[in-house]
Amino acid sequence: LTPPQEGSADGAGVAKDKLGHPIPAAQLLAEPPGTRALVAGLAGEPTYLTVTETGSLDPMGIVDNCTHLGCTFPWNPNTQEFQCPCHGSRYAADGSVLRGPAPLPLKLTRVEVRDGLIWLSPWLDLDPRTGKQPWWV
Ligand code: FES
């Protein structure tokens, strides 16, 4: 087994905890469906990972960085929204804007489980929420 590499050729990296340790996929998959786990993602960007109803990890990671002025925000499980505390923007579970002033949907990161770890890589495909080229590419 080779140790997880930081910054492989495709810009991929493993999801880490606050202390910088790789998070085993099994640890998140033991959480109930609907769990949003905040991890240190690509370039240390805080990123929400979602445990799906079928007990897998959603391939869409949601970057915790408000597209208004960059605040971080919590997930509200009661309303099923991300709610930015700075100026009141709200985002749906998939990161699309429900209420401004946020001008753009939240940035996505691709999520994949490989060798028991959670691999993240840049989302370069069309943005599934808009059907267009992602604004961050
Ligand atoms: Fe989130 Fe302004 S930074 S609403």
Side-chain angles (χ1 to χ4, degrees), residues 10 19 34 54-55 60 63-64 68 74 82 88-89 91 94 104 106 119 128 131:
D10 59 354
L19 301 173
T54 54
M60 281 171 41
V63 175
D64 182 9
H68 180 223
F82 295 105
S89 290
Y91 301 90
D94 68 356
L104 294 164
L106 294 168
W119 283 87

Side-chain angles (χ1 to χ4, degrees), residues 66 68-71 84 86-89 101-102:
C66 184
H68 180 223
L69 291 174
C71 285
C84 184
C86 290
H87 315 95
S89 290

Side-chain angles (χ1 to χ4, degrees), residues 3-93:
Q5 305 248 324
E6 193 71 64
S8 59
D10 59 354
V14 296
K16 296 178 180 171
D17 64 18
K18 285 192 186 114
L19 301 173
H21 301 309
I23 302 171
Q27 184 181 320
L28 288 194
L29 294 173
E31 300 290 331
T35 295
R36 263 74 180 178
L38 195 54
V39 305
L42 294 179
E45 257 181 340
T47 303
Y48 282 103
L49 306 184
T50 303
V51 180
T52 67
E53 292 306 315
T54 54
S56 59
L57 278 185
D58 193 303
M60 281 171 41
I62 306 267
V63 175
D64 182 9
N65 186 336
C66 184
T67 61
H68 180 223
L69 291 174
C71 285
T72 58
F73 46 80
W75 168 249
N76 183 332
N78 299 317
T79 57
Q80 298 281 301
E81 292 173 353
F82 295 105
Q83 299 180 339
C84 184
C86 290
H87 315 95
S89 290
R90 295 185 180 203
Y91 301 90

